[in-house]
């Protein structure tokens, strides 16, 4: 088995060093070759002119607006430039920025490669990428090669093993800090649970569960004008004539079968078991159910003769992935976005002394809880509230996703100002995102066990915890 693993890792390393990031549709960027990465451009130090950090944004949809809110609500930042290929989002973003009474940023548009012009023309301390998934790696690679010191990429960071290696190789070659913008790692209950893990309340961690269980049917389809489809409200669209995520996200459900959005769950539990810092993912196996939900949604809302009823979806409605870690822990990850259900990330962190279960808000600590009776997690989380939340609660109150977006941006900006490594670096981005292509590979092979590449090339053994200390 060990010889097989070594052979696999060697092949993956070679692939990462010499293979381009593969585009996922006909409109995507050309391959991004990462070998012989050029020396980073010499950029002026952060805040050299006026003391403010210089931000750029690639992709100006609703996610970008949330990031802009947080960047501009923290003193000492400015937006230098924005880039998008669609005029509507650009205009909405400019109006949004104008509400802050700050100078308008430069605008780059006109072609799929306009972001390269922006990166080459402007000087940034940080560029945030909030574009469709297939552009994350080409844009991140371009930003790092252009000498941007910190690059924040939205989730999932990559879609293939080659793309995961691209992020690692270019970050290492250029010295640019890549940060995966996984906001759930900053959710208040998640950070409190992480503190409890680190203080040993749960004992030795044995098993975690997590996932992305979110009914996205009304996001994957809309009427071409509104973000969410309201059942019975009118036309039902996906692809180029749709609006926002339905333009591109739904197509992943047509072409792929695996856990295509793993990091909301995998990121937080990875911190709990010290992935890439004394531990690592070593293998996984995945299985998928039938694909029924999206077709049924089309028929229920558009009828059996609706043109989209002919679309053949590939994504199983529920995908489950079991991961084995080097230190012995197991992690169960669930992807469920095509079914009628309430939202849940299904967190469970279990050790030799107790556990936290997100669904039901339950905590049990041996010797402290009543025998065989759950405690409400709220009482524990108040006691173990993370200092980032206890100190920033008032400022985070109005931010997106319950405040965790603000905490995430605050932490990243602190790293930029103090020239610290990214909170969730290229190795995290690669390991968490690799669950997607590996799960697709396992499902295609009938649930076969698939080995994880070691994106740290052995560094995980000696690397120390850095996140949210």
């Amino acid at each position: 088995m060990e010889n097989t693993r070594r052979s696999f890792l060697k092949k993956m390393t070679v692939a990462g060093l010499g293979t381009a990031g593969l585009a996922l549709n006909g409109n995507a960027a050309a391959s991004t070759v990462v070998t012989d990465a050029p020396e980073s451009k010499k950029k002026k130090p952060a805040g050299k002119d006026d003391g403010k950090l210089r931000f750029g944004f690639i992709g100006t949809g609703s996610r970008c607006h949330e990031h802009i809110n947080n960047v501009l609500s923290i003193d000492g930042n400015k937006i230098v430039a924005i880039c998008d290929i669609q005029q509507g989002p650009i205009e909405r973003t400019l109006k949004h920025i104008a509400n802050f009474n700050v100078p308008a940023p430069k605008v780059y548009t006109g072609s799929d490669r306009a972001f390269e012009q922006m990166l080459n023309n402007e000087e940034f301390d940080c560029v945030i990428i909030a574009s469709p998934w297939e552009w994350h790696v080409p844009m991140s690679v371009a930003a790092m090669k252009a000498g941007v010191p910190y690059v924040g990429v939205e989730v999932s960071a990559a879609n293939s093993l080659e793309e995961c290696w691209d992020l690692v190789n270019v970050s290492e070659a250029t010295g640019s800090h890549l940060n995966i913008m996984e906001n759930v790692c900053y959710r208040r209950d998640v950070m409190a649970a992480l503190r409890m893990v680190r203080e040993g309340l749960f004992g030795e961690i044995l098993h975690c569960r997590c996932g992305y269980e979110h009914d996205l049917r009304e996001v994957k389809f809309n009427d071409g004008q509104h973000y969410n489809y309201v059942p019975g409200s009118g036309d039902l669209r996906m692809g180029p004539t749709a609006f926002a995520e339905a333009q591109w996200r739904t197509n992943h459900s047509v072409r792929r079968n695996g856990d295509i959005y793993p990091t909301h769950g995998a990121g937080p539990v990875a911190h709990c078991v010290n992935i890439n810092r004394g531990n690592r993912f070593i293998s996984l196996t995945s299985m998928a159910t039938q694909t029924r939900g999206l077709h049924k949604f089309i028929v229920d809302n558009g009828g059996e003769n609706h043109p989209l009823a002919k679309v053949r979806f590939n994504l199983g409605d529920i995908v489950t992935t079991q991961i084995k870690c080097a230190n012995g822990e197991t992690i169960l990850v669930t992807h469920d976005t095509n079914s009628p259900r309430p939202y849940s990330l299904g967190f469970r962190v279990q050790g030799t002394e107790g556990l936290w279960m997100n669904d039901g808000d339950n905590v049990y600590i041996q010797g402290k809880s009543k025998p065989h009776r759950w405690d409400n997690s709220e009482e524990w989380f108040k006691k173990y509230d993370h200092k980032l939340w206890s100190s920033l609660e008032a400022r985070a109150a109005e931010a997106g996703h319950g405040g965790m977006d603000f905490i995430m941006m605050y932490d990243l900006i602190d790293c930029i100002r103090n020239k610290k490594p990214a909170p969730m670096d290229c190795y995290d981005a690669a390991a968490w995102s690799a669950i997607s292509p590996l799960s697709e590979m396992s499902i295609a092979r009938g649930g076969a066990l698939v080995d994880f590449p070691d994106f740290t090339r052995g560094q995980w053994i000696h690397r120390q915890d850095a996140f949210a200390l």
Side-chain angles (χ1 to χ4, degrees):
M1 183 66 178
E2 185 59 27
N3 289 335
T4 302
R5 181 174 292 114
R6 288 174 181 165
S7 176
F8 176 85
L9 294 177
K10 182 176 180 181
K11 290 178 181 178
M12 288 300 97
T13 302
V14 172
L17 289 169
T19 306
L22 301 181
L24 288 181
N25 65 35
N27 296 324
S31 298
T32 306
V33 179
V34 302
T35 52
D36 302 322
E39 182 180 355
S40 298
K41 294 183 178 181
K42 301 297 182 181
K43 298 285 187 178
K44 289 188 293 185
K48 180 177 175 61
D49 296 327
D50 55 11
K52 293 185 177 182
L53 296 181
R54 302 155 296 185
F55 278 80
F57 289 89
I58 305 176
T60 59
S62 60
R63 191 71 186 119
C64 171
H65 290 195
E66 294 176 5
H67 289 316
I68 286 172
N69 290 342
N70 297 318
V71 166
L72 294 181
S73 67
I74 298 172
D75 293 337
N77 305 311
K78 63 182 179 182
I79 300 175
V80 174
I82 61 175
C83 179
D84 204 301
I85 61 172
Q86 296 185 1
Q87 195 60 35
I90 289 174
E91 292 175 357
R92 288 189 289 272
T93 300
L94 290 174
K95 290 180 180 178
H96 187 74
I97 293 173
N99 293 330
F100 290 87
N101 296 316
V102 297
K106 294 182 181 178
V107 174
Y108 287 83
T109 188
S111 76
D112 287 350
R113 313 300 300 193
F115 67 91
E116 294 176 337
Q117 184 182 7
M118 183 188 92
L119 293 169
N120 290 326
N121 288 353
E122 309 297 337
E123 292 179 332
F124 300 103
D125 298 295
C126 181
V127 168
I128 305 294
I129 296 164
S131 57
W133 298 343
E134 53 264 36
W135 285 96
H136 285 181
V137 170
M139 290 172 174
S140 296
V141 165
M144 289 188 285
K145 286 186 175 182
V148 178
Y150 290 82
V151 178
V153 59
E154 266 296 340
V155 297
S156 289
N159 301 287
S160 69
L161 289 180
E162 291 86 356
E163 287 189 332
C164 291
W165 278 112
D166 285 354
L167 295 177
V168 170
N169 291 332
V170 176
S171 180
E172 290 180 343
T174 62
S176 179
H177 297 283
L178 181 85
N179 187 72
I180 180 171
M181 305 294 284
E182 183 41 81
N183 60 350
V184 179
C185 291
Y186 292 89
R187 206 170 83 175
R188 194 167 196 166
D189 59 346
V190 166
M191 296 195 81
L194 177 61
R195 182 181 170 191
M196 293 175 71
V197 168
R198 287 175 170 171
E199 295 191 21
L201 269 294
F202 300 125
E204 180 184 0
I205 301 302
L206 304 172
H207 177 70
C208 295
R209 293 184 184 178
C210 60
Y212 188 62
E213 300 171 282
H214 189 186
D215 184 356
L216 292 181
R217 295 173 300 165
E218 294 172 10
V219 172
K220 294 183 179 184
F221 304 99
N222 57 43
D223 61 3
Q225 299 180 9
H226 302 93
Y227 191 90
N228 290 90
Y229 179 77
V230 178
S233 64
D235 198 7
L236 190 68
R237 302 182 184 185
M238 58 173 278
T241 64
F243 181 75
E245 292 187 40
Q247 291 183 335
W248 54 270
R249 186 170 189 157
T250 321
N251 196 37
H252 286 267
S253 299
V254 175
R255 296 179 290 100
R256 304 171 66 186
N257 189 17
D259 188 330
I260 61 176
Y261 200 63
T263 69
H264 280 341
V269 301
H271 289 307
C272 289
V273 295
N274 303 314
I275 296 302
N276 294 328
R277 295 163 183 85
N279 199 3
R280 76 176 187 91
F281 301 140
I282 60 172
S283 61
L284 67 70
T285 178
S286 298
M287 300 184 73
T289 69
Q290 314 95 305
T291 175
R292 298 287 186 267
L294 297 183
H295 176 77
K296 185 177 185 300
F297 186 81
I298 294 167
V299 172
D300 288 348
N301 290 279
E304 294 182 356
N305 294 322
H306 192 285
L308 295 183
K310 299 179 181 179
V311 175
R312 181 177 180 181
F313 295 96
N314 196 37
L315 179 64
D317 287 354
I318 301 170
V319 176
T320 52
T321 298
Q322 186 82 16
I323 301 174
K324 184 69 173 178
C325 300
N327 291 343
E329 307 93 336
T330 57
I331 301 171
L332 180 64
V333 189
T334 302
H335 182 270
D336 177 0
T337 62
N338 299 341
S339 308
R341 58 159 302 121
Y343 176 86
S344 174
L345 298 185
F347 286 119
R348 172 173 165 180
V349 179
Q350 186 166 2
T352 56
E353 297 293 328
L355 71 161
W356 165 51
M357 290 180 62
N358 175 213
D359 288 341
D361 296 319
N362 295 317
V363 166
Y364 179 81
I365 304 296
Q366 182 173 259
K368 299 180 183 294
S369 304
K370 292 180 180 180
H372 307 291
R373 294 288 186 272
W374 292 111
D375 294 335
N376 187 291
S377 60
E378 183 177 358
E379 58 188 271
W380 285 97
F381 289 167
K382 283 182 179 179
K383 183 178 180 180
Y384 289 93
D385 197 21
H386 195 280
K387 67 178 183 179
L388 274 173
W389 271 100
S390 59
S391 62
L392 297 170
E393 180 177 13
R395 299 178 67 184
E398 301 300 321
H401 292 98
M404 60 187 177
D405 288 344
F406 177 86
I407 303 293
M408 176 176 67
M409 189 62 73
Y410 183 95
D411 197 29
L412 176 58
I413 288 172
D414 177 70
C415 290
I416 298 171
R417 286 211 169 274
N418 292 289
K419 297 181 173 59
K420 296 187 294 186
M424 300 174 288
D425 61 20
C426 65
Y427 306 111
D428 298 322
W432 305 350
S433 299
I435 294 170
S436 287
L438 292 173
S439 67
E440 292 179 79
M441 187 185 303
S442 177
I443 290 169
R445 297 176 181 177
L449 191 69
V450 178
D451 286 324
F452 257 91
D454 174 11
F455 294 103
T456 73
R457 300 183 180 92
Q459 297 179 63
W460 65 273
I461 298 173
H462 307 290
R463 298 179 84 223
Q464 300 296 311
D465 283 337
F467 176 78
L469 294 177

